[in-house]
Amino acid sequence: MTDFPGAPTGPRTGPRLRVLAAMSGGVDSAVAAARAAEAGHEVTGVHLALSANPQSFRTGARGCCTVEDSRDARRAADVIGIPFYVWDLAERFRAEVVEDFIDEYRAGRTPNPCLRCNEKIKFAALLDRALALGFDAVCTGHYASVRRTADGGRELHRASDMSKDQSYVLGVLDDRQLAHAMFPLGDTRSTKDEIRAEAERRGLAVARKPDSHDICFIADGDTQGFLAKHLGSVEGDIVDQDGTTLGTHQGAHGFTIGQRRGLRLGRPAPDGKPRYVLDISPVENTVTVGPAEALDVAALTAIRPRWCGGAAPAGVGRYTAQLRAHGAETPVSAELVDGELRVAFDAPVRGVAPGQAVVLYDGSRVVGSATIAATTGAVAPAGRAAG
């Protein structure tokens, strides 16, 4: 029987597992479910209903989890030949992901809702229910791999194909969650076209379905409009590093660190160069802008660390860090101090936004993840402390 590296070990005799396949309605999760079934496991498909009113989503929505996606997932399960259910987790999703997203922007931070969904929904609410029902593992279409260690533990590693790697958004998984995770696509070097071709060979109608983009609960992709609806419009100042007012805005929540476009300033910079968002203060309702070099960060402090498949590392360690879902790795030194992760970059990095995650790697292994709380600038502006 074909199986996957690091697959969970069930209590039953032999390698056959009871697997709950999370099926979003896309091609990746459908192929993952099909591979798990082909490997001989007892697979049941489940689609998560995450919207309180899925009928409000129209065909062509840019996210996922629409009513059309539910139907696509059901059709794929029928072709694979596995049972299929829809589970309503809309209330939990709103409380844990949507409200958190709004609260983070209200506080002037830039969250990653996909990472939060993996932590709180797919590998917490979904996994807890799956285990309670007697399943051994949750299977998803993420591109990452789980490997067993010599002592029987689990490690999360990058996907074989770095161009599709999704380990960054899985860096919040702990050892218990990894022990029940299955990622059938993680060790394939197939291109996305080859995955689609495999889906076509299997007779899956989602073979040519476009990938989802943006934030699943903002179907039209208008994040600023979504935030304005929930947080309102409150006029404030856009200022330079000296505190001089350059323009106004209708809500600090409409900006992110490193943003260049959409500032609508009334006067150009003295040197004629573009300005970027350097800081967001929700208390004062101000947005500070300045030159690109002022975005350079030498170090950061991150809170709520989660260690991926192991205990917290002791002392100062050498790692690489990833700061965005599709960002590059950068060498760092990191240490856990009084429950906070202190990270120092070998070379300055640009545009680090509080609220997002820093994920540490040791080679291809994911060490852990933490939420960025504060940064230290590589060069402190005149008359002002860095950070």
Side-chain angles (χ1 to χ4, degrees):
M1 183 183 77
T2 302
D3 213 334
F4 315 106
T9 303
R12 298 162 183 76
T13 302
R16 182 178 171 87
L17 303 175
R18 290 193 67 203
V19 175
L20 188 69
M23 301 181 70
S24 67
V27 64
D28 291 330
S29 61
V31 170
R35 287 185 177 184
E38 188 176 63
H41 299 302
E42 181 185 339
V43 179
T44 296
V46 63
H47 179 80
L48 303 183
L50 301 180
S51 170
N53 183 22
Q55 296 292 343
S56 65
F57 292 131
R58 300 289 188 264
T59 299
R62 294 154 63 92
C64 62
C65 311
T66 68
V67 66
E68 291 93 342
D69 292 316
S70 173
R71 293 167 182 161
D72 288 342
R74 182 178 297 278
R75 284 191 286 267
D78 288 344
V79 171
I80 297 167
I82 58 176
F84 178 83
Y85 300 91
V86 176
W87 286 0
D88 184 359
L89 292 179
E91 186 175 339
R92 179 79 177 261
F93 182 77
R94 171 157 291 279
E96 298 281 10
V97 180
V98 180
E99 294 298 333
D100 175 77
F101 179 84
I102 295 168
D103 288 344
E104 286 293 284
Y105 267 99
R106 181 183 287 115
R109 297 185 288 266
T110 305
N112 186 313
C114 294
L115 192 147
R116 183 77 171 176
C117 182
N118 285 328
E119 176 188 359
K120 296 295 185 178
I121 304 299
K122 293 177 182 174
F123 292 95
L126 176 62
L127 178 59
D128 288 347
R129 186 180 293 190
L131 295 178
L133 291 172
F135 288 94
D136 302 307
V138 167
C139 163
T140 73
H142 286 101
Y143 288 89
S145 64
V146 179
R147 300 180 188 174
R148 294 180 185 174
T149 60
D151 61 3
R154 299 289 194 282
E155 295 177 345
L156 178 67
H157 286 255
R158 289 192 182 278
S160 298
D161 185 347
M162 277 290 293
S163 69
K164 297 196 296 291
D165 176 63
Q166 293 176 304
S167 61
Y168 173 87
V169 295
L170 297 170
V172 291
L173 303 187
D174 60 24
D175 54 351
R176 172 181 172 272
Q177 293 165 333
L178 278 182
H180 298 284
M182 180 182 288
F183 305 123
L185 306 187
D187 282 297
T188 176
R189 289 190 178 275
S190 304
T191 65
K192 192 57 178 273
D193 285 344
E194 289 170 330
I195 292 293
R196 292 189 182 282
E198 178 179 339
E200 208 157 346
R201 289 195 303 272
R202 294 180 182 275
L204 301 172
V206 293
R208 297 300 165 188
K209 184 176 180 179
D211 290 338
S212 61
H213 295 286
D214 302 311
I215 299 167
C216 69
F217 53 86
I218 305 178
D220 61 3
D222 183 8
T223 301
Q224 290 195 14
F226 175 88
L227 291 170
K229 176 182 176 182
H230 288 83
L231 298 178
S233 297
V234 180
E235 186 172 296
D237 291 332
I238 300 177
V239 302
D240 65 15
Q241 292 168 283
D242 296 324
T244 302
T245 299
L246 303 175
T248 60
H249 61 77
Q250 295 302 311
H253 53 72
F255 298 85
T256 58
I257 301 297
Q259 179 178 335
R260 173 187 171 186
R261 299 185 184 279
L263 301 182
R264 297 185 296 276
L265 300 177
R267 68 180 81 170
D271 58 7
K273 294 182 179 179
R275 293 188 179 98
Y276 298 81
V277 174
L278 306 181
D279 185 56
I280 301 165
S281 174
V283 175
E284 299 174 353
N285 196 27
T286 59
V287 175
T288 303
V289 298
E293 55 269 22
L295 289 168
D296 288 344
V297 168
L300 63 80
T301 300
I303 58 175
R304 299 192 297 273
R306 290 175 63 89
W307 306 108
C308 203
V316 179
R318 292 289 299 167
Y319 309 98
T320 57
Q322 188 170 329
L323 302 168
R324 286 175 287 277
H326 303 291
E329 291 180 89
T330 184
V332 300
S333 297
E335 181 181 15
L336 193 65
V337 180
D338 297 329
E340 295 182 340
L341 185 65
R342 309 285 175 83
V343 178
F345 300 99
D346 285 13
V349 296
R350 183 161 288 183
V352 181
Q356 296 206 321
V358 53
V359 177
L360 298 181
Y361 292 84
D362 180 7
S364 67
R365 179 175 71 89
V366 181
V367 177
S369 172
T371 302
I372 300 169
T375 60
T376 301
V379 178
R384 179 180 172 187

